[in-house]
């Protein structure tokens, strides 16, 4: 038997102990459907492309620490989303005190596998030098490119590397603290990709619609 939304709603009852879990869940879905609750914009993380991206960064600028890798990726993904309606690898960015941090890539750089498994091919893509105070991203000599990065991916990555490479950590951190996505997120919580889209982007509505389509259906 099919029920309308109101018919289903009427089947939930308030009890002296409060609303049932079922009613609360149903209410949440109705609010989402009506647009009263905005769901965060998220994409499926592309592991193979992430490794190719790290190799690309290491080849252009060897020796970046996790801090610099994080900021390069944040700006590259943000700029690519604003221009083309999708990020590059779609990592989950956390609003950390020193700015946005791509959580999976941070695990790759730190060699910590509690939250995500070690990816196949990491050692073949890049070398993570742990001999100093901070891990450093180094290239694998003679490695052939995998062909996973588009020309627009490479464009934004190169621009982000150039933008970040000569700035101090304090300078980069302060710059990211002015970013809408970082300011809008709760401390130490995921950032919403919808907030990566600049308010002054003349194509903001179109980019957001395209990003939502890519998030739902596309493989980056």
């Amino acid at each position: 038997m099919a029920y309308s939304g109101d018919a289903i709603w009427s089947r939930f009852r308030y009890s002296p102990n409060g609303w049932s879990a079922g009613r609360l869940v149903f209410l949440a879905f109705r609010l989402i459907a009506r647009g009263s609750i905005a769901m965060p914009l998220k994409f499926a993380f592309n592991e193979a492309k992430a490794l190719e991206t790290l190799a690309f960064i290491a080849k252009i600028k060897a020796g970046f620490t996790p801090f610099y890798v994080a900021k390069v990726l944040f700006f590259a993904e943000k700029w690519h989303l604003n221009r083309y309606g999708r990020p590059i690898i779609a990592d989950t960015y956390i609003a950390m005190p020193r700015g946005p941090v791509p959580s999976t890539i941070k695990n790759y750089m730190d060699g910590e596998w509690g939250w995500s498994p070690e990816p196949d091919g990491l050692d073949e893509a890049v070398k993570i030098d742990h001999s100093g105070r901070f891990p450093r991203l180094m290239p694998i000599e003679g490695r052939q490119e995998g062909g996973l990065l588009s020309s627009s991916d490479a464009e934004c990555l190169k621009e982000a590397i150039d933008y970040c490479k000569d700035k101090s950590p304090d300078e980069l951190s302060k710059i990211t603290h002015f970013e809408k996505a970082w300011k809008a997120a709760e401390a130490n919580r995921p950032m919403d990709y919808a907030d990566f889209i600049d308010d002054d982007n003349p194509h903001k509505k179109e980019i957001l619609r395209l990003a939502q389509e890519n998030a739902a259906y596309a493989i980056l």
Side-chain angles (χ1 to χ4, degrees), residues 111-151:
E112 297 179 355
W113 314 116
W115 293 101
S116 59
E118 183 175 0
D120 293 334
L122 176 61
D123 291 339
E124 289 74 34
V126 291
K127 177 183 177 182
I128 310 295
D129 183 358
H130 291 276
S131 62
R133 180 182 177 188
F134 300 108
R136 292 188 177 273
L137 185 68
M138 306 299 293
I140 299 292
E141 296 298 330
R143 180 186 182 275
Q144 299 296 312
E145 293 183 5
L148 297 178
L149 298 179
S150 68
S151 59

Side-chain angles (χ1 to χ4, degrees), residues 89-129:
I89 65 173
D91 205 348
T92 298
Y93 286 82
I94 306 299
M96 301 293 285
R98 298 278 281 170
V101 173
S103 56
T104 307
I105 293 298
K106 183 179 188 303
N107 291 340
Y108 290 3
M109 291 289 295
D110 293 342
E112 297 179 355
W113 314 116
W115 293 101
S116 59
E118 183 175 0
D120 293 334
L122 176 61
D123 291 339
E124 289 74 34
V126 291
K127 177 183 177 182
I128 310 295
D129 183 358

Side-chain angles (χ1 to χ4, degrees), residues 200-213:
D200 61 356
N201 186 328
H203 308 291
K204 180 180 177 180
K205 290 184 178 179
E206 180 183 351
I207 289 293
L208 180 58
R209 178 188 58 77
L210 180 59
Q212 290 168 336
E213 293 178 359

Side-chain angles (χ1 to χ4, degrees), residues 37-209:
I37 295 178
M39 291 293 289
L41 181 62
K42 297 181 68 175
F43 300 82
F45 176 71
N46 190 321
E47 180 181 288
K49 202 173 180 185
L51 296 181
E52 188 74 12
T53 296
L54 288 177
F56 183 90
I57 294 172
K59 184 177 180 180
I60 294 179
K61 181 62 176 176
F64 269 159
T65 63
F67 177 90
Y68 278 92
V69 171
K71 302 308 175 275
V72 165
L73 283 173
F74 167 72
F75 285 113
E77 299 231 74
K78 178 195 168 182
W79 294 339
H80 199 280
L81 180 61
N82 273 271
R83 296 174 193 174
Y84 305 105
R86 66 166 176 82
I88 298 174
I89 65 173
D91 205 348
T92 298
Y93 286 82
I94 306 299
M96 301 293 285
R98 298 278 281 170
V101 173
S103 56
T104 307
I105 293 298
K106 183 179 188 303
N107 291 340
Y108 290 3
M109 291 289 295
D110 293 342
E112 297 179 355
W113 314 116
W115 293 101
S116 59
E118 183 175 0
D120 293 334
L122 176 61
D123 291 339
E124 289 74 34
V126 291
K127 177 183 177 182
I128 310 295
D129 183 358
H130 291 276
S131 62
R133 180 182 177 188
F134 300 108
R136 292 188 177 273
L137 185 68
M138 306 299 293
I140 299 292
E141 296 298 330
R143 180 186 182 275
Q144 299 296 312
E145 293 183 5
L148 297 178
L149 298 179
S150 68
S151 59
S152 61
D153 294 333
E155 163 199 310
C156 291
L157 285 166
K158 287 178 181 177
E159 288 183 23
I161 292 169
D162 287 342
Y163 181 75
C164 294
K165 65 182 182 181
D166 295 325
K167 292 180 173 63
S168 71
D170 284 344
E171 185 178 2
L172 278 175
S173 180
K174 289 178 181 177
I175 290 171
T176 61
H177 288 178
F178 287 99
E179 291 289 336
K180 177 180 66 171
W182 184 86
K183 292 193 293 184
E186 294 183 36
N188 302 317
R189 299 293 296 171
M191 296 161 57
D192 187 344
Y193 268 103
D195 292 327
F196 283 41
I197 304 173
D198 292 325
D199 288 333
D200 61 356
N201 186 328
H203 308 291
K204 180 180 177 180
K205 290 184 178 179
E206 180 183 351
I207 289 293
L208 180 58
R209 178 188 58 77

